[in-house]
Amino acid sequence: MSLVRMRWLKPSLVAVAVLVVLAAVLQLTGTLSRFSPFGVETIDRSHPAVLKELRDLSQYHAATGDYEVVIDIEKDTPWLPDFLSGERTLFVGAGTVNAYVDFGKLVEEMLIISPDGRTVEVRIPEPVLDKPNLDNERSYVFDQKRGLLDRLGSVLDTKSQQEFYLAAEKRIADAAGKSELRERATENTKSMLTGLLRALGFQVKVVEAS
């Protein structure tokens, strides 16, 4: 290769590299899409939901807790500076947890009627906490910082937010387990059963099942 061609090739390589980096930056900032002559049309070809199973429930949902948590996850590359590689995401997760009492065996095993038929002793099962139900409209990425290599990689690889949703669910479940949600569900169940049975003419004695 002649010296003249080498001198011409080096500036060309530099120009190509600059164009590639510039295109990536424009893509990241959304500038390129605004100047694109081709519009993007979203077409939803999803099929209707299909009913797979019907189940009878015997659960009394006695209380609901509303929770919010901020997930702070950082992924660090020790041998590279943060501006080149690394990611830190702040994710706000919001949702509810239901506390319910299963009445499936209540009538058969935990409803004791006195011989004279005037008094009913009810043993309430321990309330169960349902799986957290995250609200998609209230759960979102609040802030995200990425190194240059991660931002360039995200142009081709769209990362799922499932990791943050799962982390939020776990922390909300932990918070619900440490809260007074079960106790509130027990008290609400006592009040509901007492009112119902008294309206039927019974004297009621409600105890918590051990």
Side-chain angles (χ1 to χ4, degrees):
M1 183 179 296
S2 65
L3 183 60
V4 175
R5 290 188 61 187
M6 290 183 63
R7 289 178 178 175
W8 176 84
L9 186 59
K10 289 182 179 180
S12 300
L13 291 176
V14 173
V16 171
V18 170
L19 288 176
V20 170
V21 173
L22 180 61
V25 172
L26 290 175
Q27 182 69 28
L28 288 171
T29 60
T31 306
L32 189 60
S33 60
R34 290 197 297 269
F35 289 101
S36 174
F38 305 102
V40 177
E41 181 182 1
T42 301
I43 302 175
D44 188 351
R45 294 192 175 92
S46 305
H47 295 278
V50 178
L51 176 64
K52 303 296 289 185
E53 183 181 6
L54 284 175
R55 291 181 302 233
D56 294 329
L57 297 179
S58 58
Q59 300 172 355
Y60 172 62
H61 288 252
T64 300
D66 195 349
Y67 298 88
E68 185 172 291
V69 63
V70 176
I71 302 299
D72 186 348
I73 296 180
E74 182 176 5
K75 297 181 180 179
D76 186 35
T77 305
W79 47 275
L80 284 177
D82 292 342
F83 75 90
L84 279 181
S85 179
E87 178 179 302
R88 183 176 180 180
T89 303
L90 296 178
F91 178 84
V92 176
T96 58
V97 177
N98 292 324
Y100 66 89
V101 176
D102 191 350
F103 288 162
K105 299 180 180 180
L106 181 62
V107 176
E108 300 176 1
E109 301 179 5
M110 298 184 179
L111 192 62
I112 303 173
I113 302 178
S114 64
D116 59 7
R118 296 181 179 179
T119 303
V120 178
E121 180 179 298
V122 181
R123 295 186 177 273
I124 301 178
E126 182 181 359
V128 178
L129 298 184
D130 211 347
K131 180 181 177 181
N133 181 24
L134 259 65
D135 187 342
N136 291 330
E137 294 184 357
R138 296 168 53 204
S139 302
Y140 58 95
V141 174
F142 175 73
D143 187 30
Q144 190 172 59
K145 294 181 175 61
R146 291 178 175 176
L148 178 60
L149 298 179
D150 297 274
R151 284 180 303 200
L152 292 176
S154 66
V155 175
L156 301 176
D157 180 20
T158 303
K159 295 186 178 180
S160 171
Q161 295 183 0
Q162 184 181 15
E163 174 186 9
F164 309 116
Y165 276 89
L166 292 177
E169 284 184 0
K170 182 180 184 305
R171 283 163 176 78
I172 288 177
D174 292 341
K178 297 175 182 177
S179 69
E180 299 179 357
L181 189 56
R182 284 192 180 93
E183 289 78 4
R184 175 70 66 87
T186 298
E187 292 302 319
N188 291 344
T189 305
K190 284 182 180 180
S191 298
M192 185 273 295
L193 289 176
T194 300
L196 177 63
L197 293 173
R198 283 178 178 171
L200 295 175
F202 292 102
Q203 295 180 359
V204 184
K205 178 182 179 182
V206 181
V207 296
E208 299 178 29
S210 56

XYZ file of all heavy atoms in Angstrom, residues 145-188:
346
model
N -28.555 5.919 35.304
C -27.264 6.417 34.828
C -26.493 5.236 34.249
O -26.372 4.195 34.893
C -26.475 7.074 35.959
C -27.103 8.344 36.504
C -26.240 8.949 37.600
C -26.790 10.288 38.067
N -28.141 10.187 38.621
N -25.947 5.428 33.040
C -25.204 4.372 32.361
C -23.890 4.908 31.830
O -23.794 6.069 31.425
C -26.013 3.805 31.185
C -27.245 2.997 31.580
C -27.977 2.548 30.340
N -29.097 1.683 30.644
C -29.936 1.217 29.740
N -29.780 1.548 28.473
N -30.931 0.426 30.099
N -22.892 4.030 31.819
C -21.639 4.370 31.172
C -21.794 4.395 29.664
O -22.796 3.921 29.119
N -20.787 4.934 28.988
C -20.862 5.089 27.541
C -21.065 3.748 26.841
O -21.894 3.621 25.937
C -19.578 5.762 27.031
C -19.467 5.956 25.513
C -20.598 6.827 25.003
C -18.115 6.552 25.142
N -20.333 2.712 27.262
C -20.456 1.407 26.622
C -21.844 0.810 26.831
O -22.393 0.178 25.924
C -19.379 0.459 27.169
C -17.924 0.876 26.911
C -16.964 -0.134 27.526
C -17.669 1.003 25.404
N -22.426 1.008 27.993
C -23.770 0.491 28.264
C -24.818 1.224 27.437
O -25.775 0.620 26.961
C -24.095 0.628 29.756
C -23.165 -0.202 30.620
O -23.452 -1.387 30.811
O -22.153 0.345 31.088
N -24.630 2.525 27.261
C -25.588 3.279 26.457
C -25.517 2.887 24.996
O -26.536 2.767 24.322
C -25.337 4.776 26.612
C -25.841 5.330 27.943
C -25.573 6.808 28.059
N -24.161 7.089 27.906
C -23.563 8.219 28.323
N -24.266 9.144 28.913
N -22.295 8.389 28.147
N -24.308 2.672 24.488
C -24.175 2.225 23.106
C -24.770 0.832 22.934
O -25.409 0.535 21.933
C -22.697 2.223 22.692
C -22.030 3.603 22.581
C -20.549 3.457 22.271
C -22.715 4.426 21.504
N -24.562 -0.024 23.930
C -25.119 -1.372 23.842
C -26.624 -1.392 23.915
O -27.271 -2.265 23.328
N -27.218 -0.426 24.611
C -28.670 -0.412 24.758
C -29.375 -0.063 23.461
O -30.578 -0.283 23.326
C -29.074 0.597 25.838
O -28.766 1.919 25.432
N -28.639 0.502 22.478
C -29.247 0.795 21.182
C -29.705 -0.493 20.517
O -30.752 -0.563 19.867
C -28.256 1.560 20.282
C -28.847 1.757 18.898
C -27.908 2.889 20.914
N -28.919 -1.562 20.686
C -29.239 -2.847 20.065
C -29.919 -3.807 21.033
O -30.576 -4.750 20.610
C -27.954 -3.499 19.530
C -27.176 -2.680 18.494
C -25.889 -3.411 18.126
C -28.035 -2.430 17.265
N -29.783 -3.575 22.328
C -30.305 -4.509 23.333
C -31.204 -3.754 24.308
O -30.735 -3.011 25.149
C -29.146 -5.180 24.082
C -29.649 -6.156 25.134
O -30.810 -6.582 25.024
O -28.863 -6.499 26.036
N -32.513 -3.933 24.169
C -33.466 -3.307 25.074
C -33.638 -4.187 26.302
O -34.145 -5.296 26.215
C -34.826 -3.103 24.380
O -34.632 -2.326 23.208
C -35.799 -2.401 25.305
N -33.216 -3.681 27.450
C -33.238 -4.490 28.660
C -34.631 -4.530 29.276
O -35.359 -3.549 29.259
C -32.221 -3.943 29.676
C -30.791 -4.054 29.203
C -29.820 -3.641 30.292
C -28.381 -3.809 29.829
N -27.417 -3.423 30.873
N -34.969 -5.666 29.808
C -36.255 -5.845 30.474
C -36.201 -5.238 31.875
O -35.159 -5.204 32.517
C -36.594 -7.329 30.553
O -37.719 -7.535 31.378
N -37.352 -4.767 32.327
C -37.460 -4.213 33.674
C -37.929 -5.252 34.680
O -38.231 -4.917 35.828
C -38.425 -3.023 33.671
C -37.937 -1.840 32.847
C -38.894 -0.659 32.925
O -39.920 -0.713 33.579
N -38.552 0.417 32.238
N -37.972 -6.516 34.267
C -38.469 -7.567 35.151
C -37.662 -7.652 36.441
O -38.212 -7.897 37.519
C -38.445 -8.913 34.434
C -39.035 -10.056 35.269
C -38.969 -11.379 34.551
O -38.252 -11.530 33.565
N -39.714 -12.353 35.042
N -36.358 -7.443 36.334
C -35.494 -7.497 37.514
C -35.954 -6.530 38.596
O -35.994 -6.867 39.790
C -34.058 -7.182 37.107
C -33.083 -7.073 38.264
C -31.706 -6.609 37.815
O -31.562 -6.211 36.644
O -30.782 -6.642 38.649
N -36.351 -5.323 38.186
C -36.760 -4.308 39.154
C -38.142 -4.626 39.728
O -38.400 -4.396 40.918
C -36.748 -2.930 38.493
C -35.463 -2.619 37.780
C -35.430 -2.428 36.411
C -34.266 -2.547 38.477
C -34.241 -2.163 35.756
C -33.070 -2.279 37.832
C -33.060 -2.094 36.464
N -39.026 -5.154 38.898
C -40.355 -5.540 39.385
C -40.245 -6.660 40.419
O -40.932 -6.634 41.455
C -41.242 -5.982 38.225
C -41.924 -4.847 37.516
C -41.312 -4.184 36.440
C -43.186 -4.406 37.900
C -41.926 -3.130 35.789
C -43.815 -3.358 37.253
C -43.183 -2.725 36.198
O -43.803 -1.675 35.560
N -39.388 -7.653 40.148
C -39.228 -8.757 41.091
C -38.623 -8.273 42.408
O -39.031 -8.709 43.493
C -38.337 -9.840 40.474
C -38.948 -10.605 39.284
C -37.924 -11.590 38.719
C -40.214 -11.334 39.700
N -37.654 -7.363 42.316
C -37.045 -6.820 43.531
C -38.069 -6.025 44.336
O -38.111 -6.097 45.565
C -35.845 -5.942 43.168
N -38.918 -5.259 43.636
C -39.946 -4.484 44.328
C -40.971 -5.404 44.992
O -41.395 -5.168 46.125
C -40.644 -3.548 43.343
N -41.362 -6.466 44.299
C -42.316 -7.420 44.875
C -41.765 -8.043 46.155
O -42.493 -8.188 47.148
C -42.636 -8.516 43.859
C -43.575 -8.080 42.747
C -43.922 -9.231 41.828
O -43.429 -10.357 42.070
O -44.691 -9.018 40.880
N -40.492 -8.408 46.133
C -39.895 -9.049 47.310
C -39.879 -8.105 48.505
O -40.230 -8.493 49.631
C -38.471 -9.510 46.996
C -37.790 -10.235 48.159
C -36.393 -10.671 47.804
C -35.777 -11.467 48.943
N -35.789 -10.731 50.235
N -39.489 -6.865 48.284
C -39.399 -5.918 49.392
C -40.786 -5.518 49.905
O -40.968 -5.295 51.103
C -38.597 -4.691 48.955
C -37.092 -4.980 48.923
C -36.325 -3.953 48.120
N -34.893 -4.216 48.184
C -34.280 -5.167 47.466
N -34.991 -5.944 46.663
N -32.971 -5.343 47.570
N -41.751 -5.429 49.015
C -43.111 -5.135 49.456
C -43.672 -6.302 50.262
O -44.339 -6.112 51.284
C -44.009 -4.808 48.248
C -43.634 -3.430 47.675
C -45.481 -4.830 48.638
C -44.408 -3.040 46.443
N -43.390 -7.531 49.815
C -43.842 -8.711 50.559
C -43.206 -8.748 51.944
O -43.875 -9.065 52.944
C -43.506 -9.982 49.779
N -41.916 -8.417 52.024
C -41.239 -8.376 53.333
C -41.861 -7.325 54.239
O -42.073 -7.557 55.442
C -39.747 -8.098 53.143
C -39.014 -9.253 52.462
O -39.556 -10.381 52.456
O -37.907 -9.028 51.932
N -42.157 -6.155 53.660
C -42.753 -5.084 54.458
C -44.145 -5.470 54.944
O -44.526 -5.181 56.086
C -42.818 -3.799 53.635
N -44.909 -6.142 54.097
C -46.255 -6.561 54.488
C -46.196 -7.592 55.612
O -47.020 -7.571 56.538
C -46.998 -7.138 53.282
N -45.207 -8.496 55.544
C -45.077 -9.504 56.586
C -44.724 -8.920 57.935
O -45.077 -9.488 58.978
N -44.035 -7.784 57.949
C -43.640 -7.144 59.203
C -44.661 -6.121 59.693
O -44.508 -5.579 60.792
C -42.282 -6.462 59.026
C -41.142 -7.424 58.693
C -39.853 -6.665 58.414
C -38.725 -7.616 58.026
N -37.480 -6.890 57.693
N -45.657 -5.859 58.882
C -46.654 -4.848 59.257
C -47.784 -5.488 60.074
O -47.752 -6.675 60.396
C -47.229 -4.196 57.993
O -48.030 -5.133 57.278
N -48.802 -4.699 60.360
C -49.953 -5.172 61.129
C -51.094 -5.614 60.221
O -52.257 -5.654 60.634
C -50.435 -4.055 62.066
C -49.393 -3.614 63.088
C -49.899 -2.498 63.984
O -51.048 -2.044 63.748
O -49.173 -2.108 64.912
N -50.759 -5.972 58.999
C -51.798 -6.325 58.028
C -52.569 -7.578 58.454
O -53.793 -7.636 58.346
C -51.172 -6.519 56.647
C -52.136 -6.680 55.472
C -53.086 -5.500 55.380
C -51.354 -6.840 54.168
N -51.867 -8.590 58.954
C -52.554 -9.810 59.395
C -53.485 -9.518 60.585
O -54.605 -10.025 60.644
C -51.527 -10.880 59.791
C -50.840 -11.570 58.618
C -50.082 -12.788 59.107
N -49.403 -13.487 58.027
C -48.152 -13.266 57.668
N -47.431 -12.354 58.308
N -47.599 -13.938 56.673
N -52.986 -8.729 61.538
C -53.810 -8.397 62.697
C -55.066 -7.631 62.282
O -56.162 -7.878 62.803
C -52.999 -7.568 63.698
C -51.916 -8.349 64.436
C -50.679 -8.580 63.594
O -50.619 -8.069 62.443
O -49.753 -9.269 64.078
N -54.900 -6.716 61.329
C -56.073 -5.958 60.846
C -57.059 -6.899 60.168
O -58.282 -6.771 60.355
C -55.610 -4.877 59.860
C -56.738 -4.099 59.206
C -57.447 -3.193 60.191
N -56.551 -2.145 60.647
C -56.388 -0.979 60.004
N -57.082 -0.732 58.896
N -55.573 -0.070 60.480
N -56.563 -7.864 59.401
C -57.441 -8.824 58.733
C -58.203 -9.668 59.749
O -59.391 -9.964 59.563
C -56.631 -9.710 57.796
N -57.530 -10.071 60.824
C -58.190 -10.865 61.864
C -59.315 -10.083 62.520
O -60.432 -10.597 62.714
C -57.171 -11.309 62.927
O -56.177 -12.141 62.313
C -57.853 -12.099 64.029
N -59.062 -8.828 62.865
C -60.081 -8.004 63.513
C -61.265 -7.768 62.583
O -62.433 -7.821 63.013
C -59.470 -6.670 63.952
C -58.455 -6.791 65.079
C -59.052 -7.428 66.319
O -60.217 -7.084 66.656
O -58.376 -8.257 66.948
N -60.983 -7.516 61.316
C -62.073 -7.293 60.360
C -62.909 -8.556 60.166
O -64.134 -8.491 60.009
C -61.511 -6.827 59.022
C -60.933 -5.431 59.092
O -61.197 -4.683 60.030
N -60.130 -5.067 58.096
